[in-house]
Amino acid sequence: MKDIKVALTGIPNSGKTTLFNALTGGFGRTGNWSGVTVDLLEGSFVNEGCRFHVTDLPGTYSLNPGSSDEEIVPRYLLIGDYDLLVVVLDGANLRTSMYLAVQVLESNIPVVLAINKADMMKDRGIYADLQQLSSKLGCPIVPTVSTKNIGITDLKDSLLHETHHHIRSDVMHPMMHDRFMHKSADDEVERPHLHQTSDVNLVPRRPLIIDYPRHIERYIRIIEGFAWSCDKKYLSRFNERFLALRWIEGDAQLRSMVKTHTIDPSDLDGSMDGGDEFILDLIDSRYEFIDEMVPRHDRVSESGIVRTMESAFTSKWLGIPIFAGMLLSVFTLTYLIGNPLSEIVESLFELFSNSLSSFGDTWYVSIFRDGLIPGVGSVLVFFPMIFILFFMISLLENSGYMARGVYVIDRTMARLGLPGRSFIPLVMGFGCNVPAIMASRSIPNLRDRIATIILVPFITCSARLPVLMLLSSIFFGFYAGIIVVSMYSIGVIGLIISSLLITKVILRGDPSPLIMDLPPYSLPSIKEAIRSGSMNMYLFIRKAATVIVVAMVIVWGLTYLGIEDGSIHYLRGQDNDGEEDRLENSFASDIGKLIEPVFSPLGFNWKLVVSLMFGIVAKEIVLGTMGILTGAGEEDIESGIKNNSGLDRSGAFVFLVFFTLYVPCIPAIAVIRKETGSYKWALFSIVYNTGFAYMAALFFKLALSAVPWI
């Protein structure tokens, strides 16, 4: 079976990833490409004895990148391992998406254009003779509607034709007109919209030639004469005119590959009359060519309801409250539906774990009962919330609303050094930090995405809430509600301070400017939303499961092993008194007592330190651990904590401040590591959050010492 490698690119919001899922059946996997931190989706399909391996590249408006993610596309184009390139055009925004296609077609690599959302062309007032367009561009054009699986077979066949013949067709792939339009017998104006033909007239592969102004053509000829000295393995597939254009436009990958040439590039660049205007002339020439191919269209007037929705959604005053309400609804539904399902999963694993007690209390039973099984359970317990969250985000994105929400919040978020897209994962963090961190992958710029990921743990997740509520009720009684709200507020204040610090000092730079076309409103695909939720569940287990399970086994070793008679022993303890003795003699206790002096300025004893240590596994564990260490257990936890924890009112407030701000849980740390592609940022999150929590707690410790009534 012949293996063919296909790269898929296109502008954002063109339905590119939906088309990828339609081609590959949704059975994609994430792959790594050398030198990038972004996961590229990879999948495959078989057509008439050929296996096509498809790689979904990030969305970009052109080969001149505006963000770190967009840099992948021109780099992959030059040195990526592919045989064919599919450029996905947006049928609802054909003119804008044609610019990327024109840049690619100026090379002589095999290209197939897929006009996705072809059913929206009529609604947007776009009437183009696609057969004529295909002939002028010198490549096949296949209209598709990926959400309905229309045109997918034709696209696969077109890729097969290109594979067999290694040439481009000047005829659009046959397509039934009625698939996209409902026309009357006398409605002739719609006929050119999708021109049907049954002929296949194949012509030799040729690059697209655009007639640029004379001063640009002069420099193209000069650069074409370079004595290129570089890796011929990659650049030999490209025509010299295309390489000259990429050089003029400042392609960093190309310039890094070229070692020597007959002309000093710095002299050449400096002689380009007009500087930026030189590049603008080149861009204008391409758009003049596009306007000849795809005439400007009069947008079909929208209904009154759509105009009212658009006015409200993008309003300066109504847009942000509506967006916040939408995300609050997503968060609420994620929690209300997902939390009970997560509790069912957790209960099943607890039941399974407890059933192992009948096999005795040996170390090898305990490592399964108290280590591996809870570790696997702590992975699967997130599945319902992850699925529901990304299911609903997919619905909002595919409906066209999410882009408008990002648009209205962008200016507010820019004051914190963040883009508008950061608002979504930050709000999701109130439910659970793990899916919230994963939601940051919608942010295209690497700097903005890392900053958002680091800031998400400052949002007080729902797992911290039981601890905040119980400790507040124990020590503050009637004022417990005020204390809980104050902790949430301290978390938000910590996020604002950290955002300014991280974006101005550590990750310097301005947030990436928001450049986007607002997509048309459309009915979202339930199938695509289910596929999105399922894919993100798979990505979570692939990225974080191993780290979480290993971490849980390490925690088991710290809590169930200790030194007795000069050697390491397994510590038994089934009843509450036994549990207290076991924990006090464990390695965890030794570590807690060792670092107790570090926390003594905050007024924390070793029992509180150990409780916080176990909170790294899961925040809810803090209460149970405090109950055991204070000799009360979980049944009489309130009196035990109040009488034996060593906390008074002011000490409890300081403890809650530290608990609210300190290191995120192990699953969140694991996801930070995988989403950033670096242990460095995971370690930074641990150190920074804990350090920030320590300083904030110390501030309140000193401040409250001057308030005798508390």
Side-chain angles (χ1 to χ4, degrees):
M1 182 176 290
K2 188 175 183 180
D3 291 317
I4 308 298
K5 297 177 181 178
V6 179
L8 194 68
T9 189
I11 69 170
N13 297 315
S14 62
K16 175 177 58 66
T17 299
T18 307
L19 183 63
F20 167 85
N21 289 329
L23 281 172
T24 62
F27 298 104
R29 65 185 184 281
T30 56
N32 296 317
W33 190 47
S34 175
V36 304
T37 59
V38 179
D39 288 331
L40 304 181
L41 275 179
E42 298 174 347
S44 63
F45 67 89
V46 176
N47 190 17
E48 294 189 16
C50 290
R51 182 178 296 277
F52 292 84
H53 301 273
V54 186
T55 300
D56 183 16
L57 303 178
T60 181
Y61 286 97
S62 74
L63 295 181
N64 306 320
S67 70
S68 56
D69 284 9
E70 292 180 357
E71 291 175 1
I72 295 174
V73 178
R75 181 181 175 194
Y76 197 96
L77 183 66
L78 286 178
I79 65 174
D81 186 11
Y82 64 95
D83 302 302
L84 297 168
L85 184 67
V86 176
V87 180
V88 183
L89 308 181
D90 185 352
N93 195 10
L94 193 57
R95 181 176 180 270
T96 301
S97 55
M98 276 294 297
Y99 188 87
L100 174 63
V102 166
Q103 280 188 297
V104 171
L105 288 170
E106 288 183 294
S107 74
N108 55 346
I109 59 176
V111 176
V112 175
L113 301 184
I115 301 184
N116 201 24
K117 304 180 186 177
D119 53 341
M120 292 186 180
M121 293 175 69
K122 173 189 173 184
D123 297 335
R124 306 286 282 188
I126 302 174
Y127 298 96
D129 188 333
L130 298 187
Q131 179 185 355
Q132 185 182 43
L133 182 61
S134 175
S135 178
K136 290 183 177 180
L137 295 178
C139 70
I141 298 179
V142 183
T144 64
V145 183
S146 56
T147 56
K148 301 176 182 177
N149 277 332
I150 296 177
I152 303 304
T153 300
D154 299 310
L155 179 56
K156 291 179 178 180
D157 290 343
S158 184
L159 292 172
L160 186 67
H161 283 303
E162 286 291 290
T163 300
H164 286 331
H165 300 288
H166 294 283
I167 53 179
R168 298 176 182 167
S169 169
D170 69 346
V171 180
M172 182 194 69
H173 195 279
M175 199 67 185
M176 290 304 295
H177 180 80
D178 291 336
R179 289 184 183 179
F180 300 101
M181 307 185 65
H182 298 284
K183 65 181 189 301
S184 58
D186 56 350
D187 191 1
E188 294 296 327
V189 71
E190 297 181 7
R191 291 186 182 276
H193 178 55
L194 289 178
H195 194 88
Q196 181 180 346
T197 177
S198 57
D199 297 327
V200 178
N201 181 19
L202 298 175
V203 296
R205 179 179 57 198
R206 66 186 187 276
L208 178 66
I209 303 295
I210 295 177
D211 187 16
Y212 291 107
R214 183 178 301 174
H215 62 289
I216 295 179
E217 289 289 349
R218 181 167 66 91
Y219 284 112
I220 291 176
R221 288 193 296 272
I222 293 175
I223 300 173
E224 281 181 320
F226 277 11
W228 302 99
S229 176
C230 56
D231 192 342
K232 300 296 183 182
K233 170 185 175 183
Y234 297 112
L235 298 188
S236 60
R237 73 169 103 173
F238 297 104
N239 51 306
E240 292 181 349
R241 182 180 177 86
F242 173 75
L243 295 176
L245 287 168
R246 296 305 304 139
W247 183 280
I248 291 173
E249 294 183 90
D251 191 304
Q253 180 64 44
L254 176 62
R255 294 195 175 198
S256 68
M257 293 170 64
V258 176
K259 304 298 188 300
T260 59
H261 35 75
T262 56
I263 299 176
D264 186 344
S266 60
D267 294 340
L268 179 65
D269 294 345
S271 65
M272 290 182 182
D273 299 332
D276 290 341
E277 297 205 4
F278 189 97
I279 303 299
L280 291 177
D281 289 342
L282 191 149
I283 294 173
D284 288 340
S285 299
R286 287 184 178 137
Y287 271 113
E288 288 175 4
F289 174 82
I290 292 171
D291 288 337
E292 293 177 2
M293 300 295 101
V294 184
R296 292 179 179 269
H297 60 279
D298 296 325
R299 184 170 179 174
V300 177
S301 60
E302 297 172 330
S303 66
I305 296 177
V306 173
R307 286 197 301 269
T308 301
M309 290 170 53
E310 185 74 353
S311 177
F313 290 160
T314 59
S315 166
K316 180 180 180 181
W317 306 108
L318 295 177
I320 293 179
I322 292 174
F323 186 45
M326 286 282 192
L327 294 183
L328 180 62
S329 300
V330 169
F331 155 66
T332 302
L333 287 174
T334 299
Y335 187 75
L336 289 180
I337 300 174
N339 193 54
L341 295 175
S342 296
E343 289 179 353
I344 292 174
V345 174
E346 187 176 14
S347 298
L348 291 174
F349 274 88
E350 286 181 0
L351 183 64
F352 180 40
S353 179
N354 293 335
S355 68
L356 296 182
S357 298
S358 60
F359 292 93
D361 190 22
T362 59
W363 71 267
Y364 48 84
V365 172
S366 179
I367 195 173
F368 279 94
R369 182 188 63 211
D370 305 307
L372 286 172
I373 294 175
V376 174
S378 66
V379 173
L380 300 183
V381 77
F382 289 106
F383 272 23
M385 285 192 288
I386 290 174
F387 177 84
I388 295 169
L389 171 63
F390 284 97
F391 174 86
M392 289 190 289
I393 287 179
S394 177
L395 293 180
L396 290 178
E397 287 181 338
N398 292 334
S399 69
Y401 173 73
M402 188 63 83
R404 289 160 174 84
V406 170
Y407 164 74
V408 298
I409 202 68
D410 185 71
R411 181 176 297 179
T412 301
M413 295 300 295
R415 296 172 183 170
L416 300 178
L418 298 172
R421 288 185 180 272
S422 296
F423 188 72
I424 300 169
L426 291 177
V427 171
M428 297 304 156
F430 285 108
C432 178
N433 286 174
V434 172
I437 293 169
M438 294 178 65
S440 66
R441 63 181 55 162
S442 64
I443 303 172
N445 182 272
L446 179 61
R447 175 260 186 195
D448 297 338
R449 186 165 62 251
I450 291 177
T452 304
I453 288 172
I454 297 302
L455 292 171
V456 165
F458 280 96
I459 298 296
T460 305
C461 67
S462 60
R464 300 181 196 245
L465 183 58
V467 181
L468 297 178
M469 292 181 65
L470 182 60
L471 293 182
S472 296
S473 65
I474 291 174
F475 290 98
F476 297 95
F478 178 77
Y479 301 101
I482 298 175
I483 299 300
V484 172
V485 172
S486 68
M487 292 302 124
Y488 273 82
S489 302
I490 288 171
V492 173
I493 293 171
L495 183 146
I496 294 173
I497 295 173
S498 298
S499 175
L500 295 174
L501 178 62
I502 290 173
T503 58
K504 303 300 181 184
V505 178
I506 300 173
L507 295 171
R508 294 182 180 179
D510 296 323
S512 57
L514 183 65
I515 302 175
M516 65 189 309
D517 290 299
L518 295 181
Y521 295 104
S522 60
L523 189 66
S525 168
I526 300 296
K527 181 180 178 181
E528 184 60 29
I530 293 174
R531 183 178 286 155
S532 175
S534 302
M535 175 59 71
N536 280 282
M537 282 199 308
Y538 162 74
L539 292 177
F540 172 70
I541 193 170
R542 180 180 180 270
K543 290 184 170 188
T546 303
V547 177
I548 295 172
V549 172
V550 170
M552 292 294 289
V553 173
I554 293 173
V555 170
W556 173 88
L558 293 176
T559 55
Y560 283 85
L561 299 178
I563 301 293
E564 288 184 358
D565 300 326
S567 59
I568 298 176
H569 283 271
Y570 166 63
L571 305 175
R572 294 176 174 83
Q574 293 298 316
D575 56 23
N576 189 61
D577 292 335
E579 284 290 286
E580 184 180 357
D581 292 338
R582 176 180 62 77
L583 283 174
E584 189 160 355
N585 294 314
S586 67
F587 287 126
S589 172
D590 295 337
I591 296 173
K593 293 174 182 177
L594 179 65
I595 63 177
E596 181 181 10
V598 177
F599 289 89
S600 59
L602 305 180
F604 298 171
N605 56 36
W606 74 268
K607 296 179 181 180
L608 297 178
V609 173
V610 171
S611 299
L612 290 169
M613 286 171 53
F614 290 141
I616 300 176
V617 179
K619 301 307 176 186
E620 307 93 323
I621 296 178
V622 170
L623 285 177
T625 307
M626 290 179 71
I628 292 172
L629 293 177
T630 55
E634 297 188 10
E635 295 182 358
D636 192 23
I637 192 172
E638 295 188 19
S639 61
I641 292 176
K642 187 170 186 178
N643 298 324
N644 302 321
S645 65
L647 294 174
D648 55 13
R649 273 192 166 189
S650 62
F653 191 91
V654 172
F655 182 84
L656 289 175
V657 170
F658 187 88
F659 173 78
T660 299
L661 297 172
Y662 87 125
V663 58
C665 63
I666 288 176
I669 295 171
V671 174
I672 289 173
R673 211 265 338 153
K674 294 304 294 186
E675 292 296 323
T676 60
S678 171
Y679 284 102
K680 176 184 71 175
W681 290 112
L683 181 62
F684 175 84
S685 179
I686 295 171
V687 174
Y688 179 80
N689 279 73
T690 304
F692 190 95
Y694 190 96
M695 298 304 297
L698 183 61
F699 168 81
F700 281 103
K701 173 71 173 178
L702 297 175
L704 293 175
S705 64
V707 184
W709 58 269
I710 199 169

